[in-house]
């Protein structure tokens, strides 16, 4: 069973940057595709970015393309999300998630970390 723990959230002004990190334990991290999702108040949880087990393929939601970068370090069992040029609409709880490569659904979820962007 994989456990995921996010860190790095906080309050930042519009135009600023934050880096989220997710530490994985309890499984073979390199077996899992990873993703970052977010959920704003009153809205559904949406995908932000995903990365394959090798890091060779990445996906970004249109709303964050060119501003956010997902990366992973399989030696350290971590996945990160660098967020630049933050906007108030990026305010949400951000979740780290993992799934077995080849699976459709994400099986493992962290507790989430709050990101608040002030205007």
């Amino acid at each position: 069973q994989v456990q995921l723990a996010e860190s790095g959230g906080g309050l930042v002004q519009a135009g600023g940057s934050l880096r989220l990190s997710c530490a994985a334990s309890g499984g073979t991290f390199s077996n899992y595709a990873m993703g970052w999702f977010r959920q704003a108040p009153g809205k559904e949880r949406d995908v932000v970015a995903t990365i394959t087990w090798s890091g060779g393929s990445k996906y970004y939601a249109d709303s964050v393309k060119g501003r956010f970068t997902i990366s992973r370090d399989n030696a350290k069992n971590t996945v990160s999300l660098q967020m630049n040029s933050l906007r108030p609409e990026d305010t949400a709880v951000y979740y780290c998630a993992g799934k077995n490569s080849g699976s459709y659904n994400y099986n493992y979820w962290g507790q989430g970390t709050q990101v608040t962007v002030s205007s």
Side-chain angles (χ1 to χ4, degrees), residues 48-73:
V48 175
T50 65
I51 187 167
T52 54
W53 68 272
S54 66
S57 180
K58 303 174 184 179
Y59 164 84
Y60 296 96
D62 287 343
S63 58
V64 307
K65 280 180 182 176
R67 301 189 298 123
F68 291 11
T69 303
I70 189 171
S71 61
R72 67 188 295 161
D73 186 335

Side-chain angles (χ1 to χ4, degrees), residues 38-99:
R38 67 186 181 186
Q39 187 167 20
K43 295 187 177 181
E44 293 186 352
R45 186 160 53 188
D46 291 326
V47 60
V48 175
T50 65
I51 187 167
T52 54
W53 68 272
S54 66
S57 180
K58 303 174 184 179
Y59 164 84
Y60 296 96
D62 287 343
S63 58
V64 307
K65 280 180 182 176
R67 301 189 298 123
F68 291 11
T69 303
I70 189 171
S71 61
R72 67 188 295 161
D73 186 335
N74 286 344
K76 296 182 178 179
N77 290 357
T78 59
V79 59
S80 299
L81 185 68
Q82 177 67 42
M83 305 186 295
N84 298 328
S85 302
L86 282 161
R87 305 167 180 169
E89 54 264 39
D90 295 318
T91 295
V93 178
Y94 283 71
Y95 297 90
C96 171
K99 64 174 183 173

